[in-house]
Amino acid sequence: MSLDLSPRPGAARTPAMLAAQARMELRLLARNGEQLLITLVVPLLLLVAGTRSGKVVDLGAGRPIDIITPGVLGLAVLSTSFTSLAIATGFERRYGVLKRLGASPLPRWGLLVGKVAAVVVVEVVQLVLLASVALALGWSPAGGVAPWLWLVVLAVLGTAAFGSLGLLIAGTLRAEATLAVANLVYVLLLVGGGLIVPLSRYPDGAQGLLQLLPSGALGEGLRTAFDAGTVDLLPLVVLAAWAAVGTALTARTFRWE
């Protein structure tokens, strides 16, 4: 019986390539201390500070921890699926990483799928950790499993909306501009995007605009879910619309080099 040692060139199966790409993206995220600070430490600090935020910011009636926790969960989605994804992709494009990966056996759509898979894994860790800390601090969400199911739905829609916008920026602007724009948008939405502070605390004229932003829709949807166990249709439609528009624009304008 002879042993066949002849080479068998060829690409690995697509699922194996996607899994390998996702693992690489996770390792890259884990090595980026600045982005980990944004994606995990900042939401965690805001959550802990939320127990005393009623003395600093008028959050309305109710316990500050119950009001701020849904917004912090939404901030975790924003920081990972938009800010971190945009910055990492922008610099990979600048250094030619995307161009080289685009010439590999991994399909170009597979590269994006790998990035999204890594984002989802990080978000799961974030949401579990933040929710656990909030519960330890006395957070009292609505009873039953309905709020948690809505969290999954809103997180998926929010990730699609913010992720497509992050890739849109990374695929059209220079890396330095992407860094500046992504961080600027993060700060603006954190401070005045209806994510942390309930929309009812904003001027009447601003509420209509903020509820049409993905940040306002995500924040208000999460607050309603954990307060009443249900979600209005408007936040879902707004997030889905932003995801659809962002995906369409990214598909048309994304440059690999």
Side-chain angles (χ1 to χ4, degrees):
M1 180 179 180
S2 60
L3 182 62
D4 185 7
L5 298 178
S6 58
R8 298 180 62 185
R13 295 183 178 181
T14 300
M17 290 191 291
L18 293 178
Q21 182 66 27
R23 288 194 297 269
M24 185 189 74
E25 296 290 344
L26 278 173
R27 288 196 296 269
L28 292 175
L29 283 175
R31 294 173 182 174
N32 195 329
E34 294 178 357
Q35 294 309 309
L36 286 178
L37 177 67
I38 293 177
T39 59
L40 185 57
V41 178
V42 172
L44 189 58
L45 289 176
L46 286 174
L47 178 61
V48 175
T51 58
R52 299 180 178 273
S53 62
K55 301 179 181 179
V56 180
V57 180
D58 182 12
L59 297 175
R63 299 190 310 157
I65 188 65
D66 292 332
I67 299 173
I68 203 171
T69 297
V72 169
L73 297 177
L75 179 64
V77 174
L78 165 66
S79 61
T80 302
S81 62
F82 176 76
T83 311
S84 293
L85 181 62
I87 294 173
T89 306
F91 279 94
E92 286 175 359
R93 176 171 160 252
R94 174 187 176 181
Y95 295 134
V97 175
L98 295 185
K99 179 181 178 180
R100 290 177 175 83
L101 287 175
S104 70
L106 178 70
R108 290 190 170 184
W109 61 264
L111 172 61
L112 299 181
V113 169
K115 287 184 174 294
V116 172
V119 166
V120 170
V121 172
V122 173
E123 285 183 356
V124 170
V125 174
Q126 285 179 292
L127 295 177
V128 170
L129 177 60
L130 291 171
S132 300
V133 173
L135 291 171
L137 292 173
W139 179 38
S140 299
V145 299
W148 304 101
L149 295 177
W150 281 118
L151 171 61
V152 174
V153 173
L154 289 166
V156 169
L157 290 175
T159 299
F162 287 119
S164 62
L165 295 175
L167 291 175
L168 175 64
I169 294 173
T172 54
L173 301 180
R174 296 180 59 183
E176 294 81 3
T178 297
L179 175 64
V181 171
N183 282 321
L184 177 61
V185 171
Y186 175 82
V187 172
L188 291 177
L189 295 183
L190 169 62
V191 174
L195 193 59
I196 301 296
V197 179
L199 295 182
S200 60
R201 310 314 300 169
Y202 289 87
D204 293 340
Q207 292 180 21
L209 174 62
L210 289 176
Q211 66 182 353
L212 297 180
L213 295 178
S215 57
L218 180 60
E220 204 64 14
L222 288 171
R223 279 187 288 272
T224 303
F226 284 107
D227 181 59
T230 186
V231 175
D232 296 331
L233 181 61
L234 181 60
L236 303 176
V237 173
V238 169
L239 290 173
W242 277 97
V245 172
T247 300
L249 290 176
T250 300
R252 292 175 61 89
T253 62
F254 192 92
R255 298 196 302 269
W256 292 83
E257 55 181 296

